Amino acid sequence: MATLINMENTPQEAKAMVEPVAGDMPKYPWGLMITLNEESLEKLGIDKLPTVGTEVMIVAKANVTSVSQRQTENEGSKSCMDLQITDMEVSGTEKDMMGRAQATLYGGSVAS
């Protein structure tokens, strides 16, 4: 018969799992990260990924999907709004930069 080993964390292990590490601390509030999967990248015409750290512009249209406001005795009034992005454009990718370079060199508008 197999010997089962209890995998429960010790108090020290549990504490280490929840203690924040300076490098792990988020720089921006939760919910501001957008993840684009392969299908989304394809729709946006991004076939070559930019390098990490590349700055891009995002233009988006969104629908307000939820609004709320609450007031508590200790914290005062808090407001919240959820947005669902429905349409977007990402510029600053290699494809977009090549189009901008072409428009700068040869005139005309950038074709999308």
Side-chain angles (χ1 to χ4, degrees), residues 13-51:
E13 290 171 325
K15 184 177 180 184
M17 291 177 77
V18 296
E19 283 183 343
V21 177
D24 294 338
M25 298 297 289
K27 191 171 182 179
Y28 300 98
W30 182 87
L32 294 182
M33 177 75 70
I34 298 172
T35 301
L36 301 175
N37 62 17
E38 199 145 335
E39 291 81 14
S40 299
L41 292 169
E42 189 175 309
K43 284 182 181 180
L44 291 167
I46 300 172
D47 52 5
K48 183 174 182 197
L49 294 175
T51 59

Side-chain angles (χ1 to χ4, degrees), residues 2 5 14 18 22-23 32-33 41 51-52 68 74 82 91 97 104-105 111:
I5 299 170
V18 296
L32 294 182
M33 177 75 70
L41 292 169
T51 59
V52 172
S68 64
N74 296 330
D82 293 338
S91 60
M97 291 169 72
T104 300
L105 290 172

Side-chain angles (χ1 to χ4, degrees), residues 62-91:
N63 288 331
V64 177
T65 58
S66 172
V67 294
S68 64
Q69 187 173 33
R70 68 180 250 209
Q71 187 158 349
T72 62
E73 188 174 330
N74 296 330
E75 297 179 14
S77 180
K78 300 277 184 182
S79 298
C80 181
M81 176 173 66
D82 293 338
L83 301 172
Q84 174 63 58
I85 294 175
T86 59
D87 301 78
M88 69 183 298
E89 175 189 47
V90 177
S91 60

